[in-house]
Amino acid sequence: MSRLGDLIKLERTRRGLSAKQVAKKCGVAEKYLLDVEQGTRIIADDQARRILKSMGMQQQTEADFSLDDIAATVDLQSASDEMTRAQATLRKKADKVRPDAEKAASTQEEGVSGSIWLDALANVLKRVPVYNAVMKEVGHRLLPVENGKIEGASPEKVFYFMAPDDDMRGFRVTRGDVVLVVPAAAPVDGAMMLIQAPQGRVLRVIKRLDNFKVLLQRYDAACESEIMAVDELHIVGRCVRLEAEL
């Protein structure tokens, strides 16, 4: 994962700009910009600073702070906190005028639907849960929503999965790392996928042998493979992004 890439993508999304528009503004190829945002291309500080400046983000990129400092902190968490405070203020004002019955009904509704402010920004920002191996929520990430989707999937159906062990260490996923999972119904050759196994949900790299069989690969101390029939394989989703703590 690239924190600078995430910062550029967040800023672009918040300003309602397409990747093509930003690429044209700062004189780079659209594919280059998308690669930077997805963390597959390394970008120099001065280039990142130029891209952010082209979008009008100037105050937060002054010399007092490095881009790493900015990227490590600008994750919209402050926006979420501000919206929470605004929601509390709005609720206090509404409590003074609405009847008790309406107040109780509204409180119950708000408990189900969450922050009205986050709802208002649902087309921009989504709270994506992080699940462990037994699918218990252990955290969340805030991700930008583009054209109503996250990584091409419905925002309601994506989630992060925390690797429970080092089974995929040879594929750069170690215990405690989290991967972003999007829905998938069929095995994808060469992709890392989350599958339902007898011992629980696990990560495996899929290799298609033919239309009826696949190879499931794990790589801890050594690469190990298991052949499974496609009709016996229960796929939960495809892993599209890796996030690791340094």
Side-chain angles (χ1 to χ4, degrees):
M1 181 196 75
S2 166
R3 287 186 178 274
L4 289 180
D6 279 353
L7 175 61
I8 291 171
K9 186 174 183 179
L10 273 174
E11 189 64 20
R12 177 173 66 78
T13 304
R14 292 169 69 184
R15 292 177 183 272
L17 298 172
S18 68
K20 185 175 182 179
Q21 288 174 317
V22 174
K24 186 175 180 180
K25 281 176 177 287
C26 56
V28 300
E30 182 180 0
K31 185 178 185 305
Y32 173 88
L33 181 65
L34 291 173
D35 287 345
V36 168
E37 290 184 351
Q38 294 168 7
T40 59
R41 184 185 291 268
I42 302 300
I43 185 172
D45 278 7
D46 58 345
Q47 178 75 340
R49 205 178 286 274
R50 185 161 67 90
I51 292 174
L52 290 169
K53 187 176 181 179
S54 74
M55 291 187 283
M57 184 177 176
Q58 298 178 4
Q59 183 176 358
Q60 290 176 295
T61 57
E62 296 298 332
D64 291 343
F65 299 94
S66 71
L67 280 175
D68 283 341
D69 291 335
I70 298 169
T73 57
V74 179
D75 62 355
L76 293 186
Q77 186 59 53
S78 59
S80 177
D81 293 342
E82 183 177 346
M83 285 186 288
T84 300
R85 290 193 295 270
Q87 178 195 11
T89 301
L90 184 63
R91 185 182 293 115
K92 288 179 180 179
K93 291 181 179 179
D95 284 348
K96 294 180 180 179
V97 298
R98 62 187 177 190
D100 291 340
E102 182 185 352
K103 186 188 304 181
S106 178
T107 301
Q108 182 178 9
E109 181 181 351
E110 289 170 0
V112 174
S113 63
S115 168
I116 58 174
W117 294 98
L118 287 178
D119 288 346
L121 290 179
N123 63 330
V124 176
L125 181 66
K126 175 66 177 176
R127 183 183 188 277
V128 179
V130 179
Y131 295 122
N132 61 15
V134 295
M135 298 307 289
K136 177 181 178 182
E137 186 172 344
V138 294
H140 72 276
R141 299 284 193 276
L142 296 173
L143 290 183
V145 179
E146 293 188 88
N147 299 320
K149 295 183 180 297
I150 295 177
E151 297 291 345
S154 168
E156 304 300 328
K157 295 183 178 181
V158 303
F159 62 90
Y160 281 98
F161 179 78
M162 180 179 291
D165 49 42
D166 289 325
D167 273 0
M168 305 301 287
R169 181 168 52 183
F171 297 106
R172 300 185 303 164
V173 180
T174 59
R175 181 178 182 179
D177 292 347
V178 294
V179 291
L180 183 63
V181 180
V182 300
V188 179
D189 187 45
M192 182 177 295
M193 308 195 81
L194 180 63
I195 65 172
Q196 183 67 50
Q199 68 270 31
R201 295 190 171 185
V202 297
L203 298 170
R204 293 292 183 266
V205 169
I206 305 291
K207 295 291 185 181
R208 293 204 70 136
L209 299 178
D210 52 38
N211 290 334
F212 306 101
K213 295 180 181 178
V214 295
L215 201 65
L216 306 182
Q217 294 183 319
R218 56 185 290 267
Y219 199 148
D220 188 352
C223 187
E224 299 180 11
S225 302
E226 173 189 359
I227 296 177
M228 179 174 285
V230 172
D231 58 3
E232 295 178 358
L233 186 63
H234 182 189
I235 295 175
V236 179
R238 179 179 180 180
C239 305
V240 297
R241 184 189 299 183
L242 166 66
E243 296 186 14
E245 297 292 338
L246 298 179

